[in-house]
């Protein structure tokens, strides 16, 4: 019997981020507390740009955007938001979406699987993802449960389970 396997990835569906951004922009344009403060949110190349006339308002824009991401099922660990910066009379926050598992994070996850996971489970790094394989599907389920119980500083998804 062939080994069963699954991939651990850190991917974000770009369309869902776009939908969350559009919903946040709509809410910001309609909310009373954002009237006349120049609050906005938009794409700026690959980054997301949030602007307002005060530091508190720009943080509120970020809060609205985060709530929309949560509603769309996107982990906030994938959002890398900077600190508010004063630019002229406007405060700005640049945020980016993190995708892919870095080499050192993949090695950390592989080490956890080796140390704490069931025997006979193999984990190998393939680019920006991690392939986990075993003869037993129950062992793979145990690895998924183990990793879901851990708190990483990046988002994990489990795909291609076969």
């Amino acid at each position: 019997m062939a080994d069963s396997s699954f991939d651990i990835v850190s991917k974000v569906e770009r369309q869902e981020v776009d939908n969350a951004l559009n919903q946040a922009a709509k809410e910001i344009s309609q909310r009373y507390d954002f009237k006349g403060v120049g609050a906005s949110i938009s794409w700026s190349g690959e980054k997301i740009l949030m602007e307002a006339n005060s530091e508190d308002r720009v943080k509120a824009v970020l809060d609205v955007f985060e709530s929309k991401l949560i509603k769309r099922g996107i982990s906030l660990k994938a959002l890398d938001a900077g600190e508010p910066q004063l630019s002229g009379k406007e405060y700005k926050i640049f945020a980016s979406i993190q995708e892919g598992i870095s080499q050192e994070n993949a090695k950390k996850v592989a080490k956890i699987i080796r140390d704490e996971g069931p025997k006979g489970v193999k984990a190998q790094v393939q680019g920006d993802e991690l392939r986990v394989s075993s003869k037993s599907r129950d062992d793979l389920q145990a690895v998924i449960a183990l990793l879901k119980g851990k708190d990483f500083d990046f988002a994990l998804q489990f795909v291609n389970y076969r």
Side-chain angles (χ1 to χ4, degrees):
M1 189 174 129
D3 282 3
S4 299
S5 68
F6 68 89
D7 294 335
I8 302 173
V9 297
S10 182
K11 288 194 170 39
V12 175
E13 206 170 312
R14 177 84 176 192
Q15 185 60 51
E16 289 297 323
V17 175
D18 207 31
N19 291 343
L21 188 132
N22 291 336
Q23 287 178 339
K26 186 174 182 183
E27 182 173 323
I28 289 163
S29 71
Q30 292 175 344
R31 266 183 38 184
Y32 178 77
D33 57 335
F34 286 122
K35 293 276 189 243
V37 296
S40 68
I41 182 169
S42 62
W43 285 105
S44 173
E46 283 298 303
K47 293 190 179 274
I48 297 162
L49 171 64
M50 291 161 264
E51 298 178 301
N53 66 359
S54 74
E55 189 173 344
D56 291 338
R57 287 283 176 242
V58 79
K59 284 182 179 176
V61 170
L62 176 61
D63 191 48
V64 168
F65 181 54
E66 286 176 345
S67 72
K68 299 302 178 189
L69 285 174
I70 290 169
K71 282 184 182 170
R72 293 216 151 271
I74 296 170
S75 172
L76 292 183
K77 293 177 183 177
L79 181 70
D80 182 25
E83 289 299 309
Q85 301 166 336
L86 184 61
S87 171
K89 293 182 179 177
E90 296 273 307
Y91 279 88
K92 296 181 179 187
I93 294 179
F94 285 99
S96 60
I97 302 296
Q98 304 295 88
E99 288 198 292
I101 302 174
S102 67
Q103 288 292 331
E104 62 266 7
N105 285 338
K107 286 178 184 169
K108 279 186 210 168
V109 173
K111 183 170 177 11
I112 288 171
I113 292 170
R114 256 194 328 275
D115 295 347
E116 300 176 32
K119 298 288 177 242
V121 176
K122 296 184 286 295
Q124 63 221 49
V125 179
Q126 296 180 332
D128 62 351
E129 56 187 46
L130 195 68
R131 167 76 44 94
V132 180
S133 57
S134 172
K135 296 237 182 274
S136 165
R137 286 184 163 221
D138 291 341
D139 288 351
L140 294 180
Q141 293 285 347
V143 169
I144 291 174
L146 170 73
L147 294 177
K148 282 185 175 177
K150 300 283 181 193
D151 187 33
F152 296 105
D153 55 353
F154 52 95
L156 291 180
Q157 291 89 32
F158 306 100
V159 296
N160 296 340
Y161 184 80
R162 54 179 166 266

